[in-house]
Amino acid sequence: MAMLNTVLGDIDALDRLSSRGGIANRIDPRAMLIATALFVLAVVSYPKYEIENLLPFFVYPIIMISLGAVPFGVVARYLLIASPFAVMVGIFNPLLDTREMIVVGSISISSGWISFISILLRFSLSVSGALVLLACTGYVRTCAGLAGLGAPRLLVTQFLLLYRFVFILADEAYRMARAHSLRSRGARNPGVSVFASLAGHLLIRAYDRGLRLHQAMLARGFDGTLRTNRELRWKPVDTLFVVVCASFFAALRFGNVSRTLGELVMETQR
Amino acid sequence: MSHHIVEVKDLIYRYPDGTPALAGVTFRIEHGESVGIVGANGAGKSTLLSHLSGCIIAQSGLVAIGEIPVTKKTLPDIRRAVGTIFQDPNDQLFMPTVEEDVAFGPLNMNLPAEEVERRVAMALSKVNALHIRKRPPYRLSGGEKRAAAIATALSMSPDILVLDEPTAALDPRTRGLLIDLLHGFTHTKIIASHDLDMILDVCKRTIVMYKGAVMADGATEQILADIELLHRSGLELPMRMQSCPKCAGKDKES
């Protein structure tokens, strides 16, 4: 439970990084969303055994992390936290796909290992892209950006409320877990019946809290649309940002930057 | 007729399971009055306040703010006139920053951005909370959360302030600051609370609720000095009236 609270606290901290006012924080959220979508699209569009052409894509998150003054350690930590999902997706590839693909010296590497590494690379790139978006833009501005790009208002409102609800749920869960641990004589496993009761109570309490929040929103004129005072203003620099990002991703995707760079280096050495 | 007048006539409300919550409540609150609503747990105080802010619509009887009866159709007008401050500030604060939370109401009133900004600054400065405007609400102390919650209602420039247990879970110093703050508001104030000393400090008039009905309605000093009435309604004398030497001293000073 304490770990869940820590993770949520960190997400909140990451979100708050967006209010620092750095160069990356000033980019219009719509521009950031377009760039992130193009980035993820380019990364996932490669065939399953691709590795070398994925590596140059790390330039984008690295540059954005630097511009947004986001601590590298925070992004690395989240990648680690989320990595079990990617590992679970690809862990059986080396066992099932044993065809020899590359030979490095006397070691042969199977295509299963290559596809597994490719999955990990794509995962790292996509997640770091999303983290960069959150840290540079902030959750609320990202949602405002989604609305600005034409996403249904209802969906955007749901996203915004979901973010708040996750914290409410965690808060209630933390209180219940604390109450349980105080009376459980150190027993970590509550048992099925107690666990079922805890889960049921958690849902009811979170639902009640949600209702009270909704009442508070209604009392202040909420009509189904969540309005914010963060007005979106598309500036020429946002257009430039999207054009530069799109050109960069296209160059990486449709050209072989790794090979070209390698050949250049080899030629210089000759 | 002034928007500050609150009229409740023969108000009846039953919970969905049939439990009676309000059984024929009637009273009238005039412009600028500060009225305390007191009563034991389950007396119907919070349900009554929910009717005043339009969170619950009367099943029978009348609730009117000024000349406007509280109905589904009139809710936008009612919510503009009545600022509600809930018992738990955590229920009231839901936006990422205090500033955005305070701006939530004015934005829903479709006010221009400059006016929203002006109201946010005004409301936060009234509760001495300008310094926390950029902070996330869930990271504030209890007193700061309460101040921010009050600011969220003030930013809508309501005619009437409805407060549910405003001093609950506040330390003595913050409680004192809140009482000073409430003294400073010229709004019509309706305060439901178990904190009888605060009611004594802030409200000239008190309504005693018992089992969903009005048991007594009159001057606070008289009501809260009536031991028998307080006992019958499940309450006790305020500390200040219990011959507490410390409170008595404070009383003399004031």
Side-chain angles (χ1 to χ4, degrees):
Chain A
M1 223 33 257
M3 193 188 152
L4 175 65
N5 261 8
T6 311
V7 170
L8 286 175
D10 284 349
I11 291 175
D12 172 47
L14 200 63
D15 188 24
R16 275 186 291 129
L17 286 174
S18 64
S19 53
R20 284 184 174 185
I23 302 168
N25 308 135
R26 289 198 292 268
I27 297 170
D28 188 283
R30 290 165 292 186
M32 280 298 288
L33 273 164
I34 293 170
T36 308
L38 290 175
F39 175 72
V40 174
L41 205 66
V43 166
V44 298
S45 66
Y46 278 102
K48 69 188 249 191
Y49 298 116
E50 188 60 61
I51 289 182
E52 65 169 325
N53 281 319
L54 285 172
L55 294 173
F57 276 92
F58 278 104
V59 170
Y60 172 72
I62 289 170
I63 288 177
M64 292 309 291
I65 285 170
S66 309
L67 287 177
V70 182
F72 275 92
V74 174
V75 177
R77 193 144 57 94
Y78 280 108
L79 281 174
L80 269 180
I81 290 171
S83 60
F85 295 101
V87 172
M88 283 303 292
V89 169
I91 192 72
F92 294 110
N93 287 15
L95 302 174
L96 300 173
D97 188 359
T98 52
R99 185 170 45 93
E100 185 180 286
M101 199 165 187
I102 304 173
V103 179
V104 182
S106 58
I107 304 165
S108 70
I109 300 172
S110 72
S111 48
W113 278 109
I114 299 292
S115 64
F116 179 48
I117 293 167
S118 181
I119 286 172
L120 291 183
L121 283 176
R122 277 168 231 243
F123 153 80
S124 307
L125 285 166
S126 310
V127 173
S128 54
L131 288 171
V132 158
L133 175 68
L134 179 65
C136 294
T137 313
Y139 190 81
V140 175
R141 282 185 75 223
T142 303
C143 289
L146 273 175
L149 286 174
R153 283 262 167 208
L154 191 64
L155 185 75
V156 175
T157 303
Q158 293 270 1
F159 281 153
L160 282 164
L161 294 180
L162 181 75
Y163 188 60
R164 171 72 179 143
F165 195 72
V166 166
F167 284 92
I168 289 175
L169 199 68
D171 204 26
E172 293 290 348
Y174 178 70
R175 282 185 212 166
M176 287 179 65
R178 188 178 55 188
H180 171 262
S181 70
L182 283 172
R183 288 181 284 149
S184 60
R185 295 187 184 179
R188 285 200 147 198
N189 187 356
V192 177
S193 63
V194 175
F195 180 79
S197 174
L198 281 173
H201 272 100
L202 175 64
L203 279 178
I204 291 168
R205 284 166 69 160
Y207 177 73
D208 276 348
R209 176 61 82 85
L211 276 183
R212 291 201 298 273
L213 269 172
H214 186 236
Q215 279 204 338
M217 293 169 83
L218 290 178
R220 283 192 273 153
F222 180 63
D223 58 3
T225 303
L226 212 53
R227 299 170 179 88
T228 69
N229 52 349
R230 304 184 194 207
E231 206 176 306
L232 299 180
R233 280 196 198 114
W234 186 276
K235 303 173 288 300
V237 71
D238 298 315
T239 311
L240 184 68
F241 173 74
V242 172
V243 170
V244 168
C245 285
S247 314
F248 179 60
F249 301 149
L252 292 183
R253 177 64 186 90
F254 301 111
N256 194 331
V257 175
S258 303
R259 183 156 300 171
T260 314
L261 275 176
E263 284 168 1
L264 271 174
V265 171
M266 294 300 283
E267 250 178 53
T268 338
Q269 281 182 343
R270 267 182 229 146
Chain B
M1 191 183 275
S2 167
H3 279 178
H4 300 239
I5 292 170
V6 177
E7 183 146 31
V8 176
K9 218 172 187 177
D10 300 324
L11 179 62
I12 294 172
Y13 183 79
R14 279 177 187 275
Y15 290 121
D17 65 356
T19 312
L22 298 174
V25 174
T26 299
F27 60 78
R28 182 183 164 90
I29 294 170
E30 299 293 337
H31 186 156
E33 268 193 292
S34 290
V35 181
I37 313 269
V38 300
N41 289 334
K45 305 185 295 291
S46 295
T47 310
L48 175 62
L49 295 197
S50 295
H51 277 88
L52 301 183
S53 56
C55 289
I56 299 178
I57 303 293
Q59 290 168 345
S60 169
L62 171 85
V63 179
I65 307 297
E67 67 272 32
I68 310 168
V70 180
T71 62
K72 276 192 179 167
K73 273 189 182 172
T74 60
L75 279 183
D77 297 318
I78 298 301
R79 279 161 183 166
R80 207 160 289 164
V82 180
T84 311
I85 292 141
F86 290 85
Q87 188 169 347
D88 183 354
N90 288 312
D91 293 341
Q92 188 135 6
L93 305 167
F94 44 82
M95 295 296 277
T97 63
V98 169
E99 186 177 40
E100 283 169 286
D101 234 317
V102 178
F104 182 83
L107 284 167
N108 283 331
M109 292 160 79
N110 290 319
L111 295 172
E114 302 78 37
E115 176 62 10
V116 172
E117 182 56 34
R118 193 192 66 76
R119 285 191 181 210
V120 169
M122 176 273 296
L124 285 172
S125 64
K126 261 193 182 171
V127 297
N128 296 319
L130 263 175
H131 61 289
I132 56 167
R133 65 186 297 169
K134 297 284 181 199
R135 289 177 60 190
Y138 41 87
R139 292 195 176 268
L140 303 177
S141 70
E144 287 171 333
K145 276 183 191 171
R146 180 66 71 190
I150 294 174
T152 62
L154 290 182
S155 64
M156 295 179 77
S157 299
D159 300 321
I160 299 158
L161 272 181
V162 171
L163 301 102
D164 194 358
E165 295 286 2
T167 54
L170 292 186
D171 62 55
R173 188 173 161 273
T174 316
R175 177 183 169 278
L177 289 173
L178 178 73
I179 290 173
D180 290 343
L181 198 66
L182 291 175
H183 274 302
F185 295 147
T186 51
H187 304 75
T188 303
K189 292 186 280 284
I190 304 169
I191 307 172
S193 183
H194 287 133
D195 183 350
L196 299 188
D197 286 276
M198 182 269 292
I199 295 288
L200 198 56
D201 262 336
V202 179
C203 304
K204 288 239 158 60
R205 177 181 161 196
T206 293
I207 294 172
V208 183
M209 303 266 309
Y210 183 68
K211 289 189 176 174
V214 174
M215 190 182 226
D217 182 351
T220 301
E221 299 246 330
Q222 283 174 8
I223 296 257
L224 296 188
D226 189 336
I227 298 175
E228 200 197 323
L229 169 71
L230 292 176
H231 269 276
R232 270 192 288 135
S233 53
L235 300 168
E236 283 186 341
L237 276 177
M239 291 295 282
R240 202 186 306 168
M241 292 181 165
Q242 288 183 18
S243 308
C244 161
K246 201 174 171 186
C247 300
K250 189 183 162 194
D251 222 16
K252 271 177 203 166
E253 277 168 31
S254 61

